[in-house]
Amino acid sequence: MPINVNDPEYVQAEKDYMEASSPEEKLIYLKKMISHAPKHKGGENLRQQLTTRRKKLELQVEKKKKSGKSSFKGIKKEDMQAVIVGRTNSGKSSLLKALTNASPMISSNKFTTTESQIGMMPYFGTQVQLIEVPAIESESFDRSIVHTTDTILLLINKLEDLKFIEEKLPKTPAKRIVVFNKTDYLDEKEKRKLSATLQSKKYNFVFVSAIPELPKNNLEELKNKIFESFNIMRVFTKEPGKEKSKKPMIMKPHSTVQDVAEKILKGYSKKVKETKIWGPSSKFGGQKIGLNHVLKDLDVVEFKTK
Ligand SMILES: Nc1nc2c(ncn2[C@@H]2O[C@H](COP(=O)(O)OP(=O)(O)O)[C@@H](O)[C@H]2O)c(=O)[nH]1
Ligand SMILES: [Mg+2]
């Protein structure tokens, strides 16, 4: 007889488990299920089933690792991606959870996260892909994602962590933001001192608490900083007589109307008969412009096709 488990953490973990697409991901949620399974005698069967499943999954993951097919080689990079890098227990999983829809395991145990975790962070109609990679000092640390990402969040709890991380990071053109976490443990005087030091070294930094319930967690400021780091612009599109699109398109700065049309559909710009524009790059709302017109952040473009 299957028993009913009411623990919300268990229910969520089971749901995540069902939706997980790789054995690595499944294993993460299965472990969470096990830790929230009923401890009483009635749950014995269930616990046993879960443990058997865990052993199978662990074998699968082992095999996959040996064959070199690591699970997250296949992370599809979105338009805007940032990677959280830090030492174990610095609050990487907490930060991912606070900023995105992901529900990674959070624990004061060391090295709980052994696979990269992905979450999506909503930001004014756009989505930023945020990835937690396993602790930088662990074997599971994934350099390949760090290599190709747009922005690296250096998550630290004390100044010494910064040097430690920097020494291990590959040289890449990615923007870097120093995220000083657990600042709820610091008093104002300590913060002022740290702030002065980081400023003198010209770091782009922010003090946060990765626990949204805490006052002065500064998470909104961090979101802004992440978004600003991407060097992109948002462009809304519309059809004649209709409202503008809810979600903006993410474009490189100085993109033209033609770039937008081609991103919608290859060859689309050939079909465009007339373009109108509203917003920062327009002289007036509804101005007619050509395909070479250079756009600005938050412009609205209307395409009339043949
Ligand atoms: N007080 C406080 N505790 C935090 C903060 N961020 C994380 N923690 C705690 O630090 C521990 C490690 O967090 P976790 O997110 O699992 O760290 P990770 O190993 O870097 O992924 C957990 O017990 C968290 O609750 C914070 O801003 N303030
Ligand atoms: Mg973690």
Side-chain angles (χ1 to χ4, degrees), residues 21 33 38 70 89 104 112 139 207 218 246 280 289:
S21 52
M33 284 164 70
S70 166
N89 256 323
T112 23
E139 272 178 24
F207 287 153
N218 244 350
K246 284 221 168 57
I289 38 119

Side-chain angles (χ1 to χ4, degrees), residues 93-249:
S93 297
S94 305
L95 189 66
L96 186 72
K97 179 162 183 250
L99 297 182
T100 73
N101 59 350
S103 48
M105 258 197 294
I106 293 166
S107 146
S108 51
N109 295 335
K110 291 191 169 170
F111 304 112
T112 23
T113 311
T114 53
E115 289 292 339
S116 296
Q117 313 272 319
I118 312 179
M120 297 306 285
M121 175 181 104
Y123 190 90
F124 293 107
T126 64
Q127 296 276 331
V128 174
Q129 187 181 40
L130 207 60
I131 297 177
E132 173 194 2
V133 290
I136 190 156
E137 69 271 40
S138 83
E139 272 178 24
S140 331
F141 178 66
D142 186 342
R143 288 176 74 86
S144 62
I145 298 178
V146 181
H147 248 288
T148 54
T149 198
D150 306 310
T151 299
I152 302 174
L153 306 180
L154 295 87
L155 192 67
I156 63 171
N157 297 161
K158 49 186 189 312
L159 270 186
E160 297 82 76
D161 295 345
L162 193 48
K163 210 172 150 221
F164 184 86
I165 296 172
E166 282 177 326
E167 278 170 0
K168 292 184 171 55
L169 278 184
K171 285 210 167 48
T172 76
K175 295 269 173 57
R176 292 182 177 194
I177 303 171
V178 175
V179 183
F180 207 121
N181 188 33
K182 306 198 186 183
T183 50
D184 46 296
Y185 289 132
L186 304 176
D187 62 33
E188 289 307 317
K189 204 177 148 202
E190 288 168 309
K191 281 195 221 173
R192 268 199 304 275
K193 229 180 124 187
L194 288 167
S195 174
T197 309
L198 288 165
Q199 229 151 28
S200 72
K201 295 187 175 155
K202 304 222 159 49
Y203 282 109
N204 182 12
F205 68 95
V206 55
F207 287 153
V208 301
S209 290
I211 299 177
E213 293 75 26
L214 288 176
K216 292 202 217 151
N217 57 55
N218 244 350
L219 291 169
E220 284 307 310
E221 192 189 332
L222 173 58
K223 280 191 196 177
N224 294 339
K225 273 193 186 292
I226 293 174
F227 189 77
E228 282 160 17
S229 75
F230 291 125
N231 198 26
I232 54 112
M233 60 180 193
R234 294 159 290 179
V235 177
F236 296 91
T237 55
K238 74 186 278 299
E239 288 173 47
K242 290 197 180 153
E243 288 282 298
K244 68 173 188 184
S245 58
K246 284 221 168 57
K247 288 186 179 175
M249 291 178 63

